[in-house]
Amino acid sequence: MMKILITGGTGFIGQALVPLLCTEHKVTVLTRSPNKAKAKLGEIPRLILNLDQLKSLDKFDVVINLAGEPIAEKPWTHKQKAKLCHSRWDVTAKLVELCQKSDQPPHTFISASAVGYYGRQKATPVDENSVPHNEFTHHLCQEWERLALLAQTERTRVCIMRIGVVLDSNGGALQRMITPFKLGLGGKIASGQQGMSWIHRRDVIRIIQYLMKTSSCNGVYNTTSPNPVSNKLLTKTLARSLHRPALFPLPRFVAEKLFGEMADILTEGQYVVPQRLLDEDFKFSYPTIDSAMAQIFPR
């Protein structure tokens, strides 16, 4: 049994991760809203309201840092951009500070990042060594990762997860996509050729467990399916799974009018490959978009 501290435990990934880890480990979740956390996670994990309640991380074997304001829920005003950045950077910096104050620091520090690190990449396949395009999402993720890596010492290994679009029922990206498709109004976005680097939520959880238990793991891991798809193929597969047409594309200029700069995450993309996980022979439960959609929308 390990003692695990999780930030962002009430988010889309955390809601699936926390109850599972609680069956084997002693889990503490950082939350600003205990009632919300109990409603989403049950009464199992220990809750803390603020990292200031901790003087060090001596009591923990593993830290899993998933905290961050949802990136696609609000337009990217100057104020919202600052919130997106500091909701990630400040928690990460505080965790590192506590780690550095520890006499017996956690042996594993797992910190989320995102495929937005790479910025727009057109159709070129992207792995962990690819050169990023300098834009807002890269700046956000680069600093997030830099801060997390400050926790790395001979006693603490740091694993960075560059997470793609997480798919599952009851939340996440699909929750926002499903409604227009159910109404028969769904379709590709812009050209539809932009890459969608997706992953099933169950595989995200399995990768976190793998990184926790595999002492040789450290550094950056693309946390995506080995088979990224175009936006056009994703929308066609979703429509087919819902037995609906995909006839109404969202033109680029409309997306830009509706969402401003945030439209970039819809109209641009990357074909990200989890090369390091593949090199370590990690087996994905849902390696293809068809297998993922078949699980999410069973007939």
Side-chain angles (χ1 to χ4, degrees), residues 12-276:
F12 187 51
I13 294 171
Q15 288 176 52
L17 176 67
V18 171
L20 182 62
L21 292 183
C22 283
T23 63
E24 297 182 32
H25 307 289
K26 186 175 180 180
V27 177
T28 299
V29 173
L30 172 69
T31 179
R32 291 174 296 178
S33 176
N35 291 334
K36 176 183 175 182
K38 289 176 182 178
K40 291 187 174 184
L41 305 174
E43 299 286 345
I44 302 174
R46 175 189 174 218
L47 304 177
I48 59 171
L49 300 179
N50 195 300
L51 288 175
D52 290 336
Q53 293 177 238
L54 304 175
K55 295 182 179 180
S56 72
L57 298 180
D58 285 330
K59 296 181 180 179
F60 299 102
D61 302 302
V62 177
V63 172
I64 302 173
N65 179 30
L66 304 174
E69 176 82 4
I71 198 157
E73 288 195 356
K74 297 178 182 179
W76 289 353
T77 62
H78 180 75
K79 181 178 179 180
Q80 181 64 9
K81 280 185 175 182
K83 191 172 184 179
L84 291 172
C85 291
H86 288 286
S87 64
R88 290 160 172 78
W89 299 348
D90 296 353
V91 172
T92 304
K94 182 63 176 178
L95 287 170
V96 171
E97 179 187 341
L98 290 169
C99 206
Q100 293 171 340
K101 289 180 178 179
S102 302
D103 294 323
Q104 295 180 308
H107 58 72
T108 304
F109 189 112
I110 298 172
S111 192
S113 182
V115 295
Y117 174 91
Y118 299 107
R120 59 192 74 189
Q121 294 284 334
K122 298 186 177 179
T124 305
V126 174
D127 65 18
E128 288 86 352
N129 295 315
S130 296
V131 177
H133 182 269
N134 189 18
E135 55 192 82
F136 171 66
T137 56
H138 170 68
H139 171 64
L140 185 157
C141 293
Q142 181 185 45
E143 179 64 6
W144 195 7
E145 294 181 13
R146 185 194 71 79
L147 290 167
L149 288 167
L150 293 175
Q152 185 151 304
T153 66
E154 292 182 355
R155 294 188 292 174
T156 302
R157 61 189 177 90
V158 176
C159 297
I160 304 291
M161 301 174 66
R162 290 179 183 158
I163 303 171
V165 179
V166 182
L167 304 181
D168 204 347
S169 56
N170 303 318
L174 279 183
Q175 187 174 49
R176 294 188 288 273
M177 294 172 66
I178 283 175
T179 299
F181 279 89
K182 284 186 173 180
L183 295 172
L185 300 175
K188 68 179 182 179
I189 298 173
S191 71
Q193 298 306 308
Q194 66 273 28
M196 299 291 289
S197 299
W198 64 276
I199 185 168
H200 195 293
R201 181 167 62 166
R202 293 187 183 181
D203 276 330
V204 178
I205 304 307
R206 291 183 58 246
I207 291 168
I208 291 173
Q209 292 176 301
Y210 175 78
L211 296 177
M212 283 174 51
K213 296 175 181 178
T214 309
S215 60
S216 60
C217 290
N218 66 83
V220 173
Y221 289 84
N222 287 337
T223 305
T224 59
S225 155
N227 295 290
V229 297
S230 67
N231 172 265
K232 182 178 180 180
L233 180 55
L234 178 67
T235 53
K236 283 181 66 176
T237 307
L238 176 58
R240 185 171 65 247
S241 299
L242 294 170
H243 308 290
R244 294 290 190 274
L247 302 176
F248 294 90
L250 180 66
R252 177 187 292 269
F253 78 91
V254 175
E256 292 173 347
K257 188 72 172 177
L258 289 173
F259 304 113
E261 185 182 352
M262 191 180 75
D264 273 8
I265 63 175
L266 302 174
T267 61
E268 304 289 343
Q270 314 90 2
Y271 288 87
V272 176
V273 177
Q275 193 59 54
R276 291 196 67 198

Side-chain angles (χ1 to χ4, degrees), residues 271-284:
Y271 288 87
V272 176
V273 177
Q275 193 59 54
R276 291 196 67 198
L277 288 170
L278 293 175
D279 289 346
E280 295 183 27
D281 204 30
F282 179 85
K283 302 299 184 185
F284 288 81

